[in-house]
Amino acid sequence: MPENFFTVVEIPQQKVYNGVFFPAVLSSDPTTLTSDVSVLTEAIKLHKPWLDSLLHRSGAVLFRGFPLTTASDFNDVVEAFGYEELPYVGGAAPRNKVVGRVFTTNESPPDQKIPFHHEMAQVPVYPSKLFFFCEVEPASGGETPIVLSHIIYEKMNEKYPEFVEKLEEHGLIYTRVLGEEDDNSSPIGRGWKSTFLTQDKTVAEERAAKLGVKLEWMEDVVKTIMGPIPAIKFEKTRQRKIWFNSMVIAYTGWEDARNNPVKAVTFGDGSPLPGHIIYDCLKILDEESVAIPWQQGDILLVDNLAVLHSRRSFNPPRRILASLCK
């Protein structure tokens, strides 16, 4: 039984919805604890159906207290789950490959918060699952808060039914101006060359077209226009509507020398979004979220169709790595 290797534990930050803990937290049984990572990876392979059902029920699973220290250990754990890798094409964040399927998380400056979003919700091809790994725990702050998407949909629909109806009818259009090279001072500083994994404008246009993105070249920058794309999805496996969009992060966070966040996202018919509702949504997201301080060796597995995530500002050092799965 999985319980022979994994122990379900409770921590103070968890929330409980309909008797289900969010997130689920797994620790190792002290009697089976070993410094050998392969013991964990074998247990994952052996108990994968149980872990999958736990993820489906809770939306996120935190693995804490396992002997993981390096990016390579993390890569082994990701591989053990057997999910297919998703290349990071079309995402906004500047990030670098570390080893295997492992990347750095958004490398924007530590004093910047990254608002709540579903990973790559602004493009048609997005990951179904995300892994985060704490290689170096933050000196302070730097949590990765998570929140259940269907709860946000319910709260917003209750409070702003006409707004939600318009979102469901028209969807959203996202607009972002990219430089040529990456700009690590910006949370959306990924240049067009690394966004589309090419040096060639023609290839970039082909790859953009596959994502449904229109490109408008302007001297040394390019404007990307995505949408209209749905802002709310019906999640079939759980039979519920989810707040699957990048509206809040675009409207409040897509700001740098090239971009004005208010113009970064509009209704699908081109009309502007009501700012006061976006900022209230930000408040609701915060109220419903769970923020667990990172500990070295933590792995957080997130179902990207159930959960939005964000990043709090922090005092360095902090090194959180990520891997995206189809």
Side-chain angles (χ1 to χ4, degrees):
M1 281 299 289
E3 291 76 23
N4 293 351
F5 185 83
F6 296 106
T7 306
V8 178
V9 296
E10 292 176 21
I11 59 174
Q13 294 87 358
Q14 283 166 301
K15 287 190 185 289
V16 182
Y17 293 98
N18 299 323
V20 178
F21 281 89
F22 174 71
V25 183
L26 297 180
S27 193
S28 58
D29 182 329
T31 59
T32 59
L33 190 58
T34 160
S35 61
D36 186 354
V37 178
S38 68
V39 175
L40 172 59
T41 56
E42 288 310 310
I44 289 166
K45 289 174 191 169
L46 189 61
H47 303 306
K48 175 116 186 319
W50 180 78
L51 291 166
D52 280 341
S53 70
L54 184 64
L55 178 64
H56 190 261
R57 197 162 64 248
S58 290
V61 181
L62 175 66
F63 296 81
R64 173 162 280 179
F66 294 94
L68 306 166
T69 53
T70 65
S72 200
D73 292 343
F74 174 43
N75 192 61
D76 290 347
V77 169
V78 173
E79 291 280 3
F81 273 89
Y83 304 132
E84 201 180 338
E85 182 179 9
L86 182 88
Y88 188 60
V89 180
R95 52 174 89 206
N96 296 300
K97 187 170 176 175
V98 179
V99 61
R101 298 171 54 165
V102 172
F103 285 78
T104 56
T105 47
N106 190 324
E107 295 191 327
S108 61
D111 61 333
Q112 295 182 359
K113 285 181 181 173
I114 298 169
F116 280 101
H117 59 288
H118 282 278
E119 191 64 31
M120 295 167 71
Q122 74 279 10
V123 289
V125 181
Y126 46 80
S128 70
K129 296 172 188 73
L130 322 168
F131 287 89
F132 295 102
F133 169 62
C134 178
E135 188 180 27
V136 179
E137 67 184 68
S140 67
E143 297 93 342
T144 301
I146 51 176
V147 65
L148 284 164
S149 193
H150 72 287
I151 300 289
I152 302 307
Y153 170 79
E154 287 166 12
K155 299 257 177 200
M156 288 297 289
N157 196 37
E158 198 178 295
K159 198 165 179 183
Y160 301 109
E162 287 169 11
F163 170 71
V164 170
E165 190 182 338
K166 189 169 178 184
L167 271 184
E168 294 201 60
E169 187 184 341
H170 294 289
L172 293 166
I173 293 173
Y174 300 94
T175 304
R176 195 157 48 88
V177 178
L178 316 184
E180 199 170 35
E181 305 298 338
D182 288 1
D183 170 9
N184 282 340
S185 70
S186 163
I188 52 162
R190 207 158 175 234
W192 66 260
K193 289 180 178 177
S194 61
T195 297
F196 300 110
L197 307 177
T198 182
Q199 307 279 320
D200 185 323
K201 287 185 178 181
T202 311
V203 175
E205 287 192 3
E206 286 165 10
R207 290 185 178 162
K210 278 185 188 162
L211 293 171
V213 176
K214 293 189 276 297
L215 300 187
E216 291 178 7
W217 299 96
M218 306 177 293
E219 293 180 13
D220 58 344
V221 298
V222 61
K223 183 190 272 192
T224 65
I225 302 158
M226 177 69 238
I229 190 167
I232 286 151
K233 284 189 188 298
F234 181 73
E235 208 277 287
K236 293 191 186 95
T237 69
R238 297 177 182 89
Q239 294 288 300
R240 64 195 188 194
K241 285 185 176 179
I242 53 171
W243 193 253
F244 195 82
N245 59 66
S246 296
M247 181 180 71
V248 165
I249 190 171
Y251 195 92
T252 67
W254 282 11
E255 184 169 13
D256 61 15
R258 294 167 297 278
N259 290 275
N260 170 359
V262 174
K263 292 179 180 168
V265 59
T266 63
F267 281 115
D269 64 0
S271 59
L273 297 172
H276 69 286
I277 295 181
I278 310 293
Y279 279 94
D280 197 33
C281 182
L282 196 60
K283 193 162 151 267
I284 292 167
L285 284 158
D286 273 336
E287 284 166 1
E288 293 297 329
S289 71
V290 171
I292 299 168
W294 283 110
Q295 291 181 12
Q296 196 283 318
D298 283 351
I299 286 182
L300 180 63
L301 169 56
V302 172
D303 184 327
N304 194 38
L305 281 161
V307 171
L308 300 99
H309 67 280
S310 65
R311 184 196 82 182
R312 288 188 177 168
S313 55
F314 63 92
N315 289 319
R318 175 191 190 265
R319 189 164 155 96
I320 306 297
L321 304 177
S323 187
L324 310 182
C325 308
K326 279 188 179 168

